[in-house]
Amino acid sequence: EAYLNTDRSTIRRERWSSPGFDPLMPLVDEEHPDWREDSRIKSDLALFLELKDASGEQKKIIQSGPEKEYERAENVLIMCQRVDL
């Protein structure tokens, strides 16, 4: 339930709190490997990082069922969407 209550509008807004830097940019970890340790970026994106990390933890909990329920459900959904050509 906590994952569903995540404030996604705040995450989207706070993503742009550090001028000239996008933490969700593709390859950000390759171009700026230490960006989470940069004091300016870390202070600018404090709320974003807190919300995003909490959301990530909740998603891991959802996906870690004892019998891989999430993975099985995802595979069933993919099979339902499959189009025979």
Side-chain angles (χ1 to χ4, degrees):
E1 187 174 322
Y3 181 76
L4 297 176
N5 293 329
T6 301
D7 189 359
R8 302 208 189 289
S9 62
T10 301
I11 290 176
R12 282 191 300 271
R13 184 179 61 248
E14 291 296 321
R15 173 184 177 182
W16 306 107
S17 294
S18 185
F21 183 75
D22 178 7
L24 298 180
M25 174 181 66
L27 306 174
V28 70
D29 290 326
E30 291 178 15
E31 293 180 14
H32 303 285
D34 301 330
W35 70 269
R36 280 189 174 248
E37 305 305 320
D38 185 321
S39 60
R40 181 187 63 84
I41 293 174
K42 193 174 185 176
S43 64
D44 289 347
L45 296 175
L47 181 57
F48 170 81
L49 293 173
E50 178 184 340
L51 294 173
K52 192 70 173 167
D53 291 345
S55 174
E57 289 174 21
Q58 290 297 322
K59 189 170 182 180
K60 284 181 186 176
I61 291 169
I62 291 169
Q63 293 176 340
S64 67
E67 296 181 19
K68 299 184 179 182
E69 294 93 345
Y70 184 88
E71 183 180 331
R72 290 185 7 228
E74 188 176 41
N75 289 337
V76 167
L77 181 61
I78 290 170
M79 290 303 294
C80 289
Q81 294 174 347
R82 189 178 138 219
V83 176
D84 292 323
L85 299 175

